Amino acid sequence: MDGQVETMEQGVLGHLMALERGGMGQQDQHESQRLEMLKVRAVTLRAQRDQLKHQADAVKILKDKISKDLPLDDADAAGGFIELQKSLLTAWRMQLKDLQRAHHLIGGYDLVECKEGKSLCVSFHTAFEGVYLETYNMELDLTRTVQISRHNIPPSFPLESIAKQLLQKDLKGFLQTLSQKLNALAGRRQQVYLLKELVGSVEVMESSQLCNILVLMCTAQGETPKAVLCTLEYGDLTQCLPTRVSIECEDKTLSESPQWKKNQLLLLESPAHTALLTMRRMGSIA
């Protein structure tokens, strides 16, 4: 009886060992097949990488020739230029898709693809203190290098210099900078309008087209009313608040007084119309 049990155990163990050897053999076969597939995949990816690198180098050379107005070879004119157009258009369309997704987060402008992806229409929305103001529009041509086709941005706005700095190398940065500066311009203009509407006793002596310099004439209250000249300079065109405020009066003691030092700080930290209304409530100006 014991012999039969021992024979059965040996048979079972032998069977299990055979199964284990078979499983290991199949696993080794699978690993070998997987390794071969990875090798083939690696070879394919290296070939694609080399091809893309060659195309990128050719496009870069051609783009440099075009930007420097150098003559094109026959091969460049025949196939390279078409390849450059396709590459640039693809790149701009990919960046456009990214911007369309991102603008919902950063706000300030809307993008619409036009002419089958060959141009981009941008609308810049401006607002100040919750009030919607002007909307500026621009069309960008994407067929070769990015170019501004048309727009309704004010002539005094430094559009050309911003485009020269950012348009070709950073489209997103270009649009964000435009959005910030256009919104700030609208905000400064709105402050001038509100000054005239709400603070009638203050005279706007000077205001530049970009509203980056604002000169105001106030009347200081006291036993003898005195004229005070407030000059607000907006050194940062992305902001609605001034970077420098100077107070001038024939009576030097008044412009250097603690009260007018507070007024100067108030003009630096608050929109102009808000600061002047506060100064009038405090009895500083008429």
Side-chain angles (χ1 to χ4, degrees), residues 8-19:
M8 291 177 62
E9 289 177 352
Q10 290 177 352
V12 172
L13 288 174
H15 184 64
L16 291 175
M17 291 176 66
L19 290 175

Side-chain angles (χ1 to χ4, degrees), residues 58-223:
V59 167
K60 184 177 183 300
I61 293 171
L62 188 58
K63 186 177 179 181
D64 289 341
K65 286 184 178 181
I66 293 174
S67 63
K68 296 176 183 178
D69 292 327
L70 296 176
L72 300 179
D73 301 333
D74 292 339
D76 291 337
F81 182 71
I82 297 175
E83 188 66 30
L84 174 61
Q85 279 190 313
K86 290 181 179 179
S87 299
L88 289 176
L89 185 56
T90 300
W92 290 127
R93 291 189 71 176
M94 289 175 64
Q95 192 172 4
L96 169 59
K97 296 297 182 183
D98 291 339
L99 288 173
Q100 284 176 323
R101 289 191 291 268
H103 98 278
H104 294 290
L105 299 177
I106 60 178
Y109 58 87
D110 287 320
L111 304 169
V112 178
E113 187 178 348
C114 306
K115 300 176 183 177
E116 299 180 350
K118 295 182 179 179
S119 70
L120 170 65
C121 295
V122 192
S123 294
F124 299 94
H125 309 292
T126 63
F128 180 73
E129 294 185 338
V131 177
Y132 285 103
L133 302 172
E134 295 87 358
T135 296
Y136 300 102
N137 301 294
M138 174 187 295
E139 182 179 358
L140 298 175
D141 182 3
L142 307 179
T143 52
R144 291 180 62 181
T145 55
V146 183
Q147 300 291 335
I148 299 173
S149 300
R150 52 182 176 170
H151 65 86
N152 65 343
I153 293 174
S156 59
F157 188 83
L159 176 61
E160 185 176 346
S161 63
I162 298 172
K164 187 175 181 180
Q165 293 173 7
L166 297 172
L167 182 57
Q168 300 302 328
K169 60 182 180 181
D170 185 3
L171 180 58
K172 181 178 179 181
F174 171 72
L175 295 177
Q176 286 179 328
T177 300
L178 279 187
S179 177
Q180 290 175 342
K181 291 190 175 184
L182 286 171
N183 196 69
L185 172 61
R188 295 192 298 271
R189 283 181 169 179
Q190 182 71 357
Q191 289 179 61
V192 174
Y193 168 77
L194 291 172
L195 272 173
K196 295 176 180 178
E197 289 292 312
L198 302 177
V199 196
S201 59
V202 176
E203 184 179 356
V204 179
M205 302 293 292
E206 181 182 345
S207 176
S208 62
Q209 289 184 323
L210 284 177
C211 292
N212 57 337
I213 297 178
L214 186 60
V215 181
L216 308 173
M217 180 67 75
C218 311
T219 301
Q221 287 190 337
E223 294 182 0

